[in-house]
Amino acid sequence: MKKTIPSEQKTSEQTSVLLRALPSMAAVLDALCLPLRDDPDTTALCASLLADVPRPLLRDGINDFLDRCRASIRQGRIKNPAELSLAVLLPQTIRHTAKICAPHFRRVLNATGVVLHTNLGRSLLAEKAAEAVCEAARHYANLEFDLETGERGSRYSHVEELICRLTGADAALVVNNNAAAVLLMLDTLCRDREVVISRGELVEIGGGFRIPTVMEKSGCILREVGTTNRTHLEDYVSAICERTAALLKVHTSNYRIVGFTKAVPRRDIAALAREKGLPLLEDLGSGILADPGMPHLSDEPTVGKVLKDGVDVVTFSGDKVLGGPQAGIIAGKAEYIDRIKKNPLNRALRIDKLTLAALESTLRLHLDPELARRHIPTLHMLCMDEQQLQGKADALAAVLKASLPEGGENIGITVGRGDSRAGGGTFPESDLPTRLVCVTSADFTPNALQKALLHVDPPVLARVENDALCFDPRTLRNEEFSLVAAALRSVLA
Ligand SMILES: *Cc1c(COP(=O)(O)O)cnc(C)c1O
């Protein structure tokens, strides 16, 4: 981090005087520890730096600031020793250091309107689920301990019954995520044998999840049938042979083929699988537990329906429409689930205790669909109607207007129509009508504002649409409006 001065660049007398006047690391650290300061903000920041930041990081932060001061002196931007007094420098040092030493993984405000934004962590947990995570984090728990018998228990016991009750499955287990669930299912049931799948379902979900690749990794042989747009039952029939291990259906989560298309109804494939004595497996992606009354998702089958239609094993994500933590759920017939539970690979893909705590709590809420809709943020956000969104957008616009900086007459703030998205590779066609708060400025382009908002604390992610910076209130809580306003104010100032 130290910058050396090229020897030929003769430091002038003035520069050396200034460099010597710059406070030392020791002096800055001493000053940080001094409790007496008349500026309460600086005092509070000092206290939190000293309490929360490991000393080596604190030193790095201060060093970085002092290096920048040295550079400014050499470039002639600092000319007066008075600018280098501790009284002047300390507040700047502290702010710079606090910024540099902040944890890397941090909260952001999602004003994009993408509810299941994979890059922003998909689902927010229900309050109860978040509490359960804290409880599990702070204390020992009966993770793999049966309190009835006093003997070793199973980590799935906490959620298996709930999943069965919510889906009608005989048995279930949970793993790290849905990608792991698919891998484990195929590795257990199909290794070294063929899996028949329609060409219309060989999807790539994003983030590197491609069905053909996962199949290859699990050691099974892909037997694709039909064409991209049309697959018939006959295609499945003629592909089945003595090497066949299973038939697989995959939810085409993030795209639709429209026009001259044909897919075989799940029930017909199930009947064929039964006739041939083969299991029918399905990667359902999102996995809706109960019809939550979302008109735009009404075509999506629930997990219960899929199992009822004759699928033997189904997998889905914990953090898509289920609205829980990252997890992969595998549910279905006991004979297959028992084999999957015994696969040694399971140990490498297992779910951790914090996730289990959040998952159990989320699944309990799902037992009452009304409760789920009210308390699970993902469902709540997906179900918001246009009237609620209009109210939220008006409220956000008012908060933004009230906090505009001086000279705010160059700034336009209006409420207009737009679309939110479910996101997370789920339900591509279901644009959700919303209201957007659109900001225009005579001094900044929308793209410049969008970028600047990433550098405030907490950062705000917004969209640019129709030459305006747009905030979608669907993915913001009302308590967050003032934070968005403060952020906008600081970038416009
Ligand atoms: C999202 C999705 C996956 C991946 O699930 P993760 O929980 O992100 O691992 C796999 N298959 C389908 C069809 C999906 O929609």
Side-chain angles (χ1 to χ4, degrees), residues 122 177-179 205 209 250-251 253 283 285-286 317 319-320 327 424-425:
R122 286 200 188 148
N177 58 9
N178 187 35
I205 303 297
F209 184 91
V250 177
H251 192 283
S253 302
D283 169 10
S286 214
S317 286
D319 56 354
K320 292 186 180 171

Side-chain angles (χ1 to χ4, degrees), residues 118 122 176-182 201 203-206 209-211 214 249-254 283-287 315-320 325-329 424-427:
T118 298
R122 286 200 188 148
N176 179 60
N177 58 9
N178 187 35
V182 176
E201 297 176 1
V203 301
E204 171 173 325
I205 303 297
F209 184 91
R210 290 175 144 191
I211 283 293
V214 173
K249 264 191 79 60
V250 177
H251 192 283
T252 55
S253 302
N254 50 4
D283 169 10
L284 199 50
S286 214
T315 76
F316 52 100
S317 286
D319 56 354
K320 292 186 180 171
Q326 179 190 303
I329 297 171
T426 51
F427 324 123

Side-chain angles (χ1 to χ4, degrees), residues 64-248:
D64 189 67
F65 181 79
L66 294 175
D67 278 343
R68 282 160 194 256
C69 290
R70 288 184 195 101
S72 296
I73 291 170
R74 291 197 187 96
Q75 290 155 8
R77 278 187 279 125
I78 295 178
K79 296 198 174 69
N80 185 345
E83 292 173 66
L84 295 170
S85 74
L86 252 184
V88 174
L89 281 191
L90 196 64
Q92 298 171 34
T93 319
I94 288 167
R95 256 174 278 284
H96 180 84
T97 308
K99 204 165 171 177
I100 289 213
C101 297
H104 194 268
F105 188 48
R106 49 205 286 231
R107 171 190 185 175
V108 303
L109 297 169
N110 177 10
T112 63
V114 182
V115 178
L116 296 167
H117 200 307
T118 298
N119 303 138
L120 305 185
R122 286 200 188 148
S123 280
L124 307 182
L125 293 182
E127 207 46 50
K128 277 258 182 292
E131 281 166 16
V133 171
C134 288
E135 178 84 359
R138 293 202 172 106
H139 308 285
Y140 290 110
N142 61 340
L143 178 64
E144 289 183 351
F145 189 84
D146 186 332
L147 292 167
E148 294 292 325
T149 62
E151 284 164 20
R152 194 195 156 126
S154 148
R155 72 173 56 210
Y156 309 119
S157 63
H158 313 288
V159 291
E160 182 166 11
E161 239 179 75
L162 278 168
I163 296 168
C164 292
R165 187 163 165 177
L166 287 163
T167 62
D170 304 334
L173 78 156
V174 283
V175 290
N176 179 60
N177 58 9
N178 187 35
V182 176
L183 180 72
L184 187 63
M185 170 176 75
L186 294 175
D187 182 86
T188 311
L189 304 175
C190 312
R191 172 160 284 279
D192 297 329
R193 295 171 66 203
E194 291 185 2
V195 175
V196 182
I197 178 173
S198 162
R199 288 199 168 86
E201 297 176 1
L202 290 173
V203 301
E204 171 173 325
I205 303 297
F209 184 91
R210 290 175 144 191
I211 283 293
T213 317
V214 173
M215 291 179 81
E216 194 181 308
K217 276 285 166 204
S218 66
C220 62
I221 300 145
L222 177 68
R223 184 78 165 81
E224 38 187 297
V225 298
T227 61
T228 307
N229 58 331
R230 288 174 74 87
T231 300
H232 307 267
L233 190 62
E234 268 316 301
D235 297 325
Y236 286 95
V237 173
S238 55
I240 294 173
C241 63
E242 71 283 358
R243 294 182 302 275
T244 310
L247 309 184
L248 175 67

Side-chain angles (χ1 to χ4, degrees), residues 132-457:
V133 171
C134 288
E135 178 84 359
R138 293 202 172 106
H139 308 285
Y140 290 110
N142 61 340
L143 178 64
E144 289 183 351
F145 189 84
D146 186 332
L147 292 167
E148 294 292 325
T149 62
E151 284 164 20
R152 194 195 156 126
S154 148
R155 72 173 56 210
Y156 309 119
S157 63
H158 313 288
V159 291
E160 182 166 11
E161 239 179 75
L162 278 168
I163 296 168
C164 292
R165 187 163 165 177
L166 287 163
T167 62
D170 304 334
L173 78 156
V174 283
V175 290
N176 179 60
N177 58 9
N178 187 35
V182 176
L183 180 72
L184 187 63
M185 170 176 75
L186 294 175
D187 182 86
T188 311
L189 304 175
C190 312
R191 172 160 284 279
D192 297 329
R193 295 171 66 203
E194 291 185 2
V195 175
V196 182
I197 178 173
S198 162
R199 288 199 168 86
E201 297 176 1
L202 290 173
V203 301
E204 171 173 325
I205 303 297
F209 184 91
R210 290 175 144 191
I211 283 293
T213 317
V214 173
M215 291 179 81
E216 194 181 308
K217 276 285 166 204
S218 66
C220 62
I221 300 145
L222 177 68
R223 184 78 165 81
E224 38 187 297
V225 298
T227 61
T228 307
N229 58 331
R230 288 174 74 87
T231 300
H232 307 267
L233 190 62
E234 268 316 301
D235 297 325
Y236 286 95
V237 173
S238 55
I240 294 173
C241 63
E242 71 283 358
R243 294 182 302 275
T244 310
L247 309 184
L248 175 67
K249 264 191 79 60
V250 177
H251 192 283
T252 55
S253 302
N254 50 4
Y255 75 99
R256 288 279 183 275
I257 296 175
V258 292
F260 185 57
T261 65
K262 180 170 186 337
V264 185
R266 190 178 278 111
R267 267 196 264 187
D268 297 352
I269 307 179
L272 173 65
R274 245 190 332 272
E275 183 194 318
K276 303 283 181 186
L278 295 168
L280 172 59
L281 317 175
E282 179 154 356
D283 169 10
L284 199 50
S286 214
I288 297 177
L289 291 178
D291 180 359
M294 297 180 262
H296 37 277
L297 303 182
S298 58
D299 293 344
E300 294 295 327
T302 61
V303 179
K305 170 87 166 52
V306 167
L307 290 172
K308 214 168 174 175
D309 279 350
V311 171
D312 295 294
V313 183
V314 63
T315 76
F316 52 100
S317 286
D319 56 354
K320 292 186 180 171
V321 274
L322 198 118
Q326 179 190 303
I329 297 171
I330 311 176
K333 298 236 166 76
E335 58 172 307
Y336 301 116
I337 300 293
D338 287 346
R339 284 171 60 194
I340 296 172
K341 281 180 180 167
K342 290 188 190 122
N343 186 335
L345 187 58
N346 198 357
R347 178 63 180 77
L349 306 173
R350 82 178 182 190
I351 186 167
D352 83 303
K353 63 175 177 174
L354 302 183
T355 309
L356 259 177
L359 187 61
E360 182 186 16
S361 181
T362 308
L363 291 170
R364 283 167 65 98
L365 288 170
H366 275 285
L367 291 175
D368 178 347
E370 188 43 46
L371 208 62
R373 233 175 106 144
R374 205 153 4 110
H375 294 293
I376 296 175
T378 297
L379 289 185
H380 183 73
M381 288 188 253
L382 287 172
C383 292
M384 240 174 244
D385 64 33
E386 291 188 61
Q387 196 183 343
Q388 287 171 295
L389 289 159
Q390 181 74 47
K392 279 192 92 160
D394 290 339
L396 174 59
V399 174
L400 295 184
K401 279 180 189 159
S403 80
L404 284 181
E406 292 292 320
E409 44 301 328
N410 282 340
I411 294 149
I413 296 178
T414 55
V415 172
R417 283 170 187 275
D419 288 301
S420 313
R421 276 192 295 129
T426 51
F427 324 123
E429 278 186 323
S430 45
D431 275 346
L432 318 172
T434 192
R435 297 293 180 277
L436 299 174
V437 178
C438 310
V439 178
T440 52
S441 153
D443 305 320
F444 302 95
T445 65
N447 288 309
L449 289 176
Q450 184 189 38
K451 206 155 173 226
L453 283 171
L454 300 181
H455 300 287
V456 292
D457 184 30

